[in-house]
Amino acid sequence: MNYKHYLLMLTFIVKIGESQAFNHPWSWLNPLPSDNGFSECYAIDSNTVFIIDYDYALIYKTTDGGLTWNTKWVPYPDSISSYYRFYGIDFPTPNVGYIAGVSSRAIILKTTDQGETWNYKYMGPQQGLFDIDFPQGNSVVGYAVGTQSFILKTTDGGETWNQQSNPGANYQVLRAVHFPVNADTGYAVGGLNTYDTLHPLILKTTNGGQNWIVQTSPVPGGYHGVYFCNNNVGYACGSVEGYYGMNPKGVIIKTTNGGNNWQLIYYTPGEYVKGIYFLTPTLGYVFIVKGGGGTYSSLIRKTTNGGATWDSIIPPQRCAVHYKFSFSFANQQIGYGVGTEYDINFGRGRIFKTTNGGTTWFSLKKGPDVSFWAVDFPENDQVGYVVGDSGYILKTTNGGLNWIQQFTGTGQAFRDVDFINNQIGFAVGNNGTFFKTTNGGNTWVPKNSNTTATLYAVKFVNSQIGYIGGLGSAGGVIMKTTDGGDNWMSQTIPNNNTERAIQDLLFFNVDTGYAVAGATPSYGGAVGIVYKTTNGGQTWVENYAPSSANFYVIDFPVNSQVGYV
């Protein structure tokens, strides 16, 4: 059966019946761990890593170094909020961890069992929290920072949080906080770019937040990250921007005396410094995003001499300026990094890993960053196929646990797939693309469909008789073959027009079938019609035509009497 799901612009595959991933009966299958944006990562050890989601209340955990991921969905308990995302994560001990984020108000979560369960501990009046930090080994006293230069502190393991007074202004945002040694001495950085006036903010406390002192920045700008190796040597990163964010300059500053003085050690036009991490006072990493995009618009820079010089490393994928980048190292050889690349509809998460101290990095994402348009499991729930953009066809033989890409040799998008059994199948797509396999997808052979229409639907009654449908220059298209796709004949559609695309097909036998029509995404009107034939497509008649609808899928799950569009 062809389950044709129009999950438009969603680039994941889901499986029904497994409840462990989201605590509800859907789990991610591809790409893994998901294709949302990512905010931050934390490596407890070389194999155990957590990632928090930028787009939703999702937490991802791996215990095998990124080979497999477990996903947890932690819905916001406040029913009035439909918007929430996570920004900062910290594990002061291997079992106890905290997450800070934003919903209709600031939120903080806590786990005491290494991420198996999470509970909301704070839902405050602030707009949002961007970072959270506990001194390593201390799971009781910690800090969180966010909008309007808010600083929150807990002294009872997150049960209660109290706002601390500080000299930051309401128009300033604190984006990062770090207490490197103990709960007394720490730093918070941020700022805000308001048109062409810049407001950097660097704060320090030496008495557990009773007093926060403004430290002098060597340049105007906004800081995104701060990392101290001890109470003396620390680094902060960010950017200086001109009017409306024009002419950015990537900035890294350094102190060797606990912030009494900051020195500008990196100042490069056309860049944003989005993430920072130091393993020692001299060994560190930053993530650079260049303005203007392009294939090599992202760089990882590494220093081994405290920022005097930086080596450039091209990451496996680029990330966008709109999002932060987070590093976390388990030791001097194994490290992880997460970020997000901007998509017109949502962020695409990136996960990088190094096993040689940052000399080279590889991607941990499993699965292509493309949109999938149709899925078919022809005989059972184990062997199935999905098709999507850029000529992608993936196959699973174990119920979606693993997916293998099949070679088609085309860059055209596939819009639908139909298999009559586990061996013989057909795929259609843009510009009249039509492919056939007779060996379970080991080889796909292009065939002439005799049309240049965008083909949205394919349905074969048997190995010889089949139909394709879509939208051509003159309107909806339905074509039929009686020789397995070698030759095609056009069929007449009543009440056709230039926006009435044939979106799906369904046949019970060689004579009786349905076609549904719906508008393309670029068209705002309603052109929905259900067509029916009882003579193998020689004639099609309007079966149902409401005045304000578009139809994209039709299914008769049990018999020819009960159906849905």
Side-chain angles (χ1 to χ4, degrees):
M1 179 176 289
N2 180 281
Y3 297 97
K4 185 177 180 181
H5 300 296
Y6 278 85
L7 300 173
L8 295 180
M9 301 311 297
L10 299 182
T11 65
F12 56 80
I13 303 168
V14 294
K15 180 180 180 181
I16 300 173
E18 295 186 1
S19 61
Q20 75 277 10
F22 281 49
N23 302 323
H24 59 69
W26 289 87
S27 61
W28 291 93
L29 290 184
N30 186 87
L32 289 174
S34 83
D35 204 37
N36 297 327
F38 301 135
S39 294
E40 197 163 280
C41 63
Y42 193 96
I44 293 178
D45 54 48
S46 59
N47 290 316
T48 306
V49 183
F50 287 85
I51 296 174
I52 52 176
D53 197 281
Y54 179 84
D55 295 313
Y56 299 101
L58 298 174
I59 304 165
Y60 313 98
K61 178 183 178 181
T62 180
T63 57
D64 54 17
L67 296 177
T68 59
W69 295 88
N70 180 36
T71 306
K72 291 193 177 296
W73 181 47
V74 190
Y76 189 48
D78 190 343
S79 60
I80 67 172
S81 176
S82 60
Y83 166 88
Y84 43 86
R85 60 181 46 159
F86 298 147
Y87 279 112
I89 184 171
D90 188 46
F91 273 80
T93 68
N95 290 320
V96 179
Y98 297 85
I99 289 174
V102 57
S103 180
S104 58
R105 47 188 175 171
I107 53 177
I108 296 176
L109 298 80
K110 180 181 179 180
T111 180
T112 57
D113 54 11
Q114 204 173 99
E116 293 304 309
T117 58
W118 293 86
N119 296 298
Y120 283 88
K121 292 296 183 180
Y122 181 82
M123 292 177 285
Q126 302 87 358
Q127 294 178 358
L129 296 171
F130 294 127
D131 199 17
I132 191 166
D133 189 65
F134 284 67
Q136 194 61 33
N138 183 347
S139 61
V140 176
V141 182
Y143 301 81
V145 298
T147 56
Q148 298 176 323
S149 69
F150 275 112
I151 302 177
L152 299 177
K153 179 181 180 180
T154 182
T155 57
D156 56 8
E159 295 301 317
T160 59
W161 293 83
N162 297 308
Q163 183 180 338
Q164 296 193 305
S165 61
N166 71 79
N170 283 341
Y171 58 78
Q172 291 173 304
V173 176
L174 289 171
R175 299 191 177 276
V177 59
H178 192 207
F179 280 73
V181 177
N182 54 48
D184 293 325
T185 302
Y187 303 82
V189 301
L192 186 66
N193 181 357
T194 307
Y195 302 126
D196 59 345
T197 303
L198 297 158
H199 305 89
L201 185 59
I202 306 173
L203 300 178
K204 177 183 179 179
T205 182
T206 58
N207 56 11
Q210 296 180 43
N211 303 102
W212 288 88
I213 309 300
V214 175
Q215 298 191 305
T216 302
S217 170
V219 292
Y223 293 103
H224 304 291
V226 61
Y227 200 96
F228 270 74
C229 308
N230 50 50
N231 279 339
N232 292 313
V233 180
Y235 301 81
C237 71
S239 61
V240 175
E241 297 176 82
Y243 189 73
Y244 280 107
M246 299 296 290
N247 303 315
K249 299 176 180 65
V251 171
I252 304 172
I253 60 175
K254 177 182 180 180
T255 180
T256 57
N257 57 10
N260 293 329
N261 304 102
W262 288 89
Q263 174 190 3
L264 182 64
I265 63 171
Y266 188 94
Y267 192 72
T268 304
E271 293 186 353
Y272 302 83
V273 187
K274 305 298 292 186
I276 190 167
Y277 192 97
F278 271 76
L279 283 159
T280 71
T282 57
L283 175 60
Y285 307 82
V286 294
F287 194 87
I288 306 293
V289 179
K290 294 186 176 182
T295 303
Y296 301 109
S297 60
S298 296
L299 291 172
I300 295 174
R301 296 202 196 274
K302 176 182 178 180
T303 182
T304 57
N305 53 17
T309 58
W310 298 86
D311 296 324
S312 295
I313 304 159
I314 297 176
Q317 293 170 309
R318 68 183 183 183
C319 294
V321 300
H322 314 285
Y323 308 89
K324 68 186 292 187
F325 191 93
S326 169
F327 291 103
S328 186
F329 277 75
N331 51 53
Q332 291 198 11
Q333 295 300 310
I334 298 177
Y336 299 82
V338 298
T340 303
E341 165 66 339
Y342 177 72
D343 184 276
I344 192 170
N345 290 279
F346 47 80
R348 296 184 183 273
R350 307 302 192 197
I351 310 174
F352 306 149
K353 182 178 180 178
T354 181
T355 56
N356 57 9
T359 302
T360 57
W361 297 77
F362 55 91
S363 175
L364 282 181
K365 286 294 292 292
K366 304 298 190 300
D369 282 329
V370 299
S371 294
F372 293 117
W373 298 100
V375 56
D376 188 27
F377 280 70
E379 294 185 356
N380 52 50
D381 62 355
Q382 296 301 301
V383 179
Y385 304 81
V386 294
V387 297
D389 289 344
S390 303
Y392 269 94
I393 299 179
L394 304 182
K395 177 181 180 179
T396 181
T397 58
N398 57 9
L401 295 179
N402 303 101
W403 294 85
I404 300 172
Q405 182 179 349
Q406 298 190 311
F407 180 75
T408 61
T410 180
Q412 297 290 339
F414 286 114
R415 300 286 183 166
D416 197 14
V417 59
D418 184 49
F419 275 73
I420 62 172
N421 54 46
N422 283 339
Q423 298 300 312
I424 300 176
F426 309 86
V428 297
N430 291 359
N431 296 313
T433 299
F434 176 78
F435 276 72
K436 177 180 180 179
T437 181
T438 58
N439 55 13
N442 292 330
T443 55
W444 286 88
V445 179
K447 296 281 188 177
N448 184 4
S449 66
N450 199 31
T451 181
T452 59
T454 298
L455 297 176
Y456 294 107
V458 56
K459 183 62 182 178
F460 270 72
V461 183
N462 53 47
S463 62
Q464 298 301 308
I465 298 176
Y467 298 81
I468 55 178
L471 180 67
S473 59
V477 170
I478 298 178
M479 305 187 74
K480 179 180 180 180
T481 182
T482 57
D483 56 11
D486 290 334
N487 296 281
W488 293 90
M489 299 163 287
S490 295
Q491 299 194 308
T492 301
I493 308 172
N495 196 15
N496 203 357
N497 68 39
T498 57
E499 294 293 342
R500 186 159 282 136
I502 299 300
Q503 299 282 0
D504 200 13
L505 295 160
L506 184 145
F507 275 79
F508 302 106
N509 49 54
V510 295
D511 293 320
T512 304
Y514 292 89
V516 295
T520 58
S522 61
Y523 180 70
V527 295
I529 292 179
V530 179
Y531 296 107
K532 182 177 182 179
T533 181
T534 56
N535 55 13
Q538 295 180 42
T539 56
W540 288 87
V541 297
E542 291 186 25
N543 184 255
Y544 179 57
S547 59
S548 58
N550 289 300
F551 297 124
Y552 295 96
V553 183
I554 184 169
D555 188 30
F556 282 71
V558 179
N559 54 47
S560 62
Q561 298 303 302
V562 180
Y564 304 83
V565 290

